[in-house]
Amino acid sequence: MIPRKNMSRVSPLLLILLALGFFFATYNLVTLIIHNRATTSSSVSISTSGSSSNGGGSEWFDPVKESNLVKSGDRKFHVALTATDAPYSKWQCRIMYYWYKKMKERDGSEMGGFTRVLHSGKPDNLMEEIPTFVVDPLPEGLDRGYIVLNRPWAFVQWLEKATIEEEYILMAEPDHVFANPLPNLARGDLPAAFPFFYIKPAEHEEVIRKYYPEDLGPVTNVDPIGNSPVIIKKSILEKIAPTWMNISLRMKDDPETDKAFGWVLEMYGYAVASALHGVRHILRKDFMLQPPWDLEVGKKFIIHYTYGCDYNMKGELTYGKIGEWRFDKRSYLRGPPPKNLSLPPPGVPESVVRLVKMVNEATANIPGWETE
């Protein structure tokens, strides 16, 4: 278990100087990559299962053909998620941690320790319930109301200051629920990630080229991913994280980029930062599902309940319109959902039914649920 620690607050001036340092480091990195193309290209020289129709042609790595990839040693990975001290974040973290503990002990799991990286700058009332490491938020105003910009900065601090025993890290989020025991999907130095249908670097090539120059290769070197879920070697993430932070801040400062990427800007920041370091990801569709669009859980590992689930009493999806029956995490911004939520009406996909049942099980068994 990671010891609970608190960091002294960092002055805004120091963080600004750090950001400037990361800015210049990125350009030095670009120059380094240009002169070491042979080395960086080796990270993707394995058998593939064809080209992707998602994200502009990024390669899809075959998770079954592993003849060139050696599994050795302890492959446990540390589960880490960034969070705030807002009630909305707290109740999601509690449910997530409940299912982590259950799935960790099941056959097929390679989960190791767990850390909630709390970027509020101060401890909260979940410190004793969930293993937590407190880091500082960005200086006031630097995130411009886009709170997820704190995520890469939180990882930079955690990786620098914390004692992490595992060689690999899973970057997760509070609204993730483990539906099946999760093995280490990474293979050696190749991290594993979930491909998002809405991350399309090739469709934004003009914007991407501001951060990933043509000299480094085709824009399809930028994977159609975000930072979560990703299982990655700690040593590799330690190199990517400062660049991810710097690129994300630069993107937010650029009006064209901010408009193009919107609420997924930080996801593009991670994808570009990885490409700058010559890192490609094994793209695993079975890593995660997203109700209500994905209809069955099956053998997928994580349920991501970022979308609202709205249905009429006939079991028909009414997305974009509040349904007669609904489950939407945004309905509980100020406090946790009540215990024993009503189950969906007949005809609603199994993925939604499973999600609500898992939420209900967690809230029934977490002590003091409705006090948060």
Side-chain angles (χ1 to χ4, degrees):
M1 178 179 292
I2 299 299
R4 300 178 180 88
K5 302 180 183 178
N6 194 6
M7 295 179 60
S8 59
R9 296 193 63 84
V10 180
S11 70
L13 177 60
L14 177 58
L15 290 175
I16 291 170
L17 291 174
L18 281 172
L20 288 172
F22 291 141
F23 174 83
F24 290 111
T26 298
Y27 286 102
N28 291 334
L29 171 67
V30 168
T31 303
L32 179 65
I33 294 174
I34 290 173
H35 290 88
N36 291 277
R37 297 297 296 157
T39 301
T40 57
S41 63
S42 65
S43 64
V44 295
S45 60
I46 63 171
S47 60
T48 65
S49 58
S51 299
S52 164
S53 60
N54 183 5
S58 294
E59 290 179 309
W60 289 82
F61 297 105
D62 191 335
V64 177
K65 297 178 181 177
E66 300 176 359
S67 57
N68 297 331
L69 304 172
V70 179
K71 295 182 184 180
S72 61
D74 186 358
R75 289 181 44 82
K76 287 188 180 296
F77 55 87
H78 195 96
V79 179
L81 69 155
T82 57
T84 73
D85 59 0
Y88 177 64
S89 178
K90 286 182 179 179
W91 69 256
Q92 293 176 54
C93 289
R94 299 181 83 193
I95 291 174
M96 199 273 198
Y97 186 56
Y98 173 86
W99 283 104
Y100 153 80
K101 289 188 293 183
K102 289 203 71 171
M103 293 298 170
K104 178 186 177 183
E105 303 305 322
R106 296 190 181 179
D107 290 342
S109 168
E110 290 183 294
M111 297 182 192
F114 185 101
T115 300
R116 179 182 62 134
V117 185
L118 181 63
H119 53 78
S120 63
K122 60 184 184 298
D124 65 5
N125 61 343
L126 294 183
M127 301 292 290
E128 296 301 320
E129 180 178 332
I130 304 174
T132 297
F133 191 93
V134 179
V135 298
D136 282 311
L138 290 169
E140 186 175 356
L142 194 58
D143 64 10
R144 300 189 182 186
Y146 181 56
I147 196 168
V148 293
L149 274 183
N150 284 279
R151 184 175 295 155
W153 173 226
F155 271 108
V156 168
Q157 296 174 82
W158 177 64
L159 289 165
E160 179 182 350
K161 301 293 185 180
T163 301
I164 307 163
E165 296 180 357
E166 297 85 354
E167 185 179 5
Y168 291 87
I169 292 170
L170 164 65
M171 292 187 284
E173 296 181 14
D175 60 353
H176 287 177
V177 173
F178 293 106
N180 285 298
L182 179 59
N184 188 340
L185 303 178
R187 295 295 177 261
D189 287 345
L190 285 170
F194 176 79
F196 289 90
F197 69 88
Y198 48 78
I199 302 296
K200 301 177 179 180
E203 292 187 10
H204 298 284
E205 181 165 4
E206 186 175 340
V207 175
I208 292 289
R209 287 305 187 191
K210 292 184 177 185
Y211 314 96
Y212 188 75
E214 291 186 12
D215 289 345
L216 298 185
V219 74
T220 50
N221 286 347
V222 180
D223 289 328
I225 61 172
N227 84 289
S228 176
V230 167
I231 299 178
I232 186 170
K233 264 191 175 180
K234 178 175 60 179
S235 59
I236 296 175
L237 183 57
E238 287 171 340
K239 296 175 183 177
I240 293 174
T243 310
W244 170 28
M245 170 186 156
N246 177 51
I247 292 292
S248 297
L249 289 171
R250 286 177 56 200
M251 286 180 170
K252 190 63 180 176
D253 282 339
D254 181 70
E256 182 186 13
T257 307
D258 193 20
K259 181 179 179 180
F261 294 159
W263 65 275
V264 296
L265 179 148
E266 169 267 340
M267 298 172 69
Y268 274 100
Y270 175 80
V272 170
S274 298
L276 285 170
H277 285 272
V279 175
R280 300 298 303 275
H281 295 69
I282 302 169
L283 302 180
R284 293 287 299 249
K285 284 187 175 182
D286 61 344
F287 208 152
M288 189 169 75
L289 69 146
Q290 302 186 97
W293 311 117
D294 296 307
L295 306 183
E296 297 181 354
V297 174
K299 295 183 179 180
K300 295 183 176 70
F301 300 107
I302 294 172
I303 299 177
H304 183 209
Y305 56 97
T306 190
Y307 295 104
C309 300
D310 289 274
Y311 293 87
N312 61 29
M313 299 313 291
K314 297 179 182 179
E316 298 168 335
L317 182 66
T318 62
Y319 193 77
K321 177 183 177 183
I322 294 178
E324 297 174 88
W325 180 93
R326 75 181 324 230
F327 175 75
D328 187 338
K329 65 178 185 177
R330 295 163 191 83
S331 299
Y332 309 103
L333 293 174
R334 298 182 179 180
K339 295 181 179 181
N340 196 28
L341 294 169
S342 64
L343 294 179
V348 171
E350 180 262 350
S351 62
V352 178
V353 176
R354 175 86 174 272
L355 169 61
V356 176
K357 286 183 176 179
M358 294 182 76
V359 169
N360 281 345
E361 178 180 332
T363 61
N365 288 281
I366 295 174
W369 173 251
E370 291 174 336
T371 63
E372 294 300 331

